[in-house]
């Protein structure tokens, strides 16, 4: 994509969603910049895992996605919602995702106070989540490199503790 075209897309995205604009603008311009960016990522990854060691973390359990799975036609427009998984993908962490609960009527009622005017992506999330009662809500188990077996063990433990009901919503 030409620089001019990227600038136009960036400007237009900025009008409707600051988060999407930020994602669009994040890229190296020349191949040497890619090497520098990869080196920075490698240093950040090393620092990240050093902090895990300092805090005695073996795994991290965190949201898999900020809301139930979006409607198919809206998913591609909601890249910023992948921020929960993107950081771990960038660092090549092994990750497992599993359902732990379901969207409830109370969750649906709370959508009335969702900040849909703040950002276009918030409106997409709101529209996608309406009517999701009974859909799964997930957590992800993130581990260190080459620790897949530990992640599977933690996921199995969570499954036993939560006893998620996989009966589909009516």
């Amino acid at each position: 994509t030409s620089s001019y075209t990227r600038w136009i897309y960036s400007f237009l995205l900025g009008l409707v969603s600051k988060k999407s604009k930020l994602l669009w603008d994040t890229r190296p311009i020349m191949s040497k910049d890619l090497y520098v960016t990869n080196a920075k990522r490698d240093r950040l990854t090393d620092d990240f895992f050093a902090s895990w060691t300092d805090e005695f973390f073996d795994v991290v359990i965190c949201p898999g996605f900020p809301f139930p799975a979006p409607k198919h036609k809206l998913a591609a427009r909601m890249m910023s919602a992948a921020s929960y998984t993107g950081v771990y993908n960038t660092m090549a962490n092994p990750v497992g995702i599993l359902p732990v609960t379901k969207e409830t009527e109370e969750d649906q009622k709370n959508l009335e106070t969702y900040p849909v005017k703040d950002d276009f992506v918030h409106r997409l999330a709101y529209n996608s989540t309406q009517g999701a009662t009974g859909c799964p809500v997930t957590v992800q188990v993130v581990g260190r490199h080459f620790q897949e077996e530990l992640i599977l063990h933690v996921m199995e433990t969570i499954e036993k503790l939560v006893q998620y009901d996989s009966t589909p919503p009516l």
Side-chain angles (χ1 to χ4, degrees):
T1 312
S2 75
S3 296
Y4 181 71
T5 304
R6 289 192 70 83
W7 182 86
I8 290 173
Y9 282 149
S10 176
F11 176 77
L12 293 174
L13 277 173
L15 295 175
V16 295
S17 174
K18 292 176 185 169
K19 292 174 181 150
S20 293
K21 179 187 182 324
L22 182 64
L23 282 171
W24 181 262
D25 288 343
T26 307
R27 65 173 178 29
I29 296 170
M30 300 180 73
S31 59
K32 70 176 178 136
D33 297 331
L34 183 59
Y35 286 105
V36 171
T37 300
N38 285 339
K40 286 180 184 176
R41 183 202 61 210
D42 291 345
R43 280 194 301 277
L44 288 171
T45 300
D46 290 344
D47 292 345
F48 186 82
F49 285 119
S51 68
W52 277 32
T53 300
D54 292 345
E55 299 296 328
F56 304 103
F57 288 176
D58 291 321
V59 298
V60 170
I61 301 169
C62 54
F65 207 67
F67 42 83
K71 295 174 183 169
H72 183 69
K73 64 183 180 180
L74 299 176
R77 296 187 222 159
M78 302 171 69
M79 284 180 29
S80 59
S83 62
Y84 290 87
T85 59
V87 67
Y88 302 114
N89 290 337
T90 301
M91 293 188 299
N93 287 76
V95 176
I97 294 183
L98 70 157
V100 293
T101 189
K102 293 182 179 181
E103 178 85 359
T104 65
E105 290 292 337
E106 183 181 348
D107 297 327
Q108 289 290 297
K109 186 172 169 52
N110 288 335
L111 282 174
E112 295 169 10
T113 61
Y114 197 71
V116 294
K117 295 179 182 173
D118 290 355
D119 193 280
F120 178 67
V121 174
H122 289 172
R123 283 193 296 281
L124 288 174
Y126 173 83
N127 291 335
S128 184
T129 306
Q130 283 187 321
T133 303
C135 290
V137 177
T138 63
V139 296
Q140 62 181 339
V141 180
V142 183
R144 297 172 181 264
H145 295 152
F146 312 110
Q147 294 295 312
E148 289 83 356
E149 294 85 4
L150 178 59
I151 292 167
L152 292 171
H153 173 72
V154 172
M155 289 174 67
E156 182 179 47
T157 302
I158 291 170
E159 256 181 351
K160 288 176 183 174
L161 291 171
V162 171
Q163 297 179 355
Y164 176 75
D165 176 15
S166 62
T167 307
L170 299 175

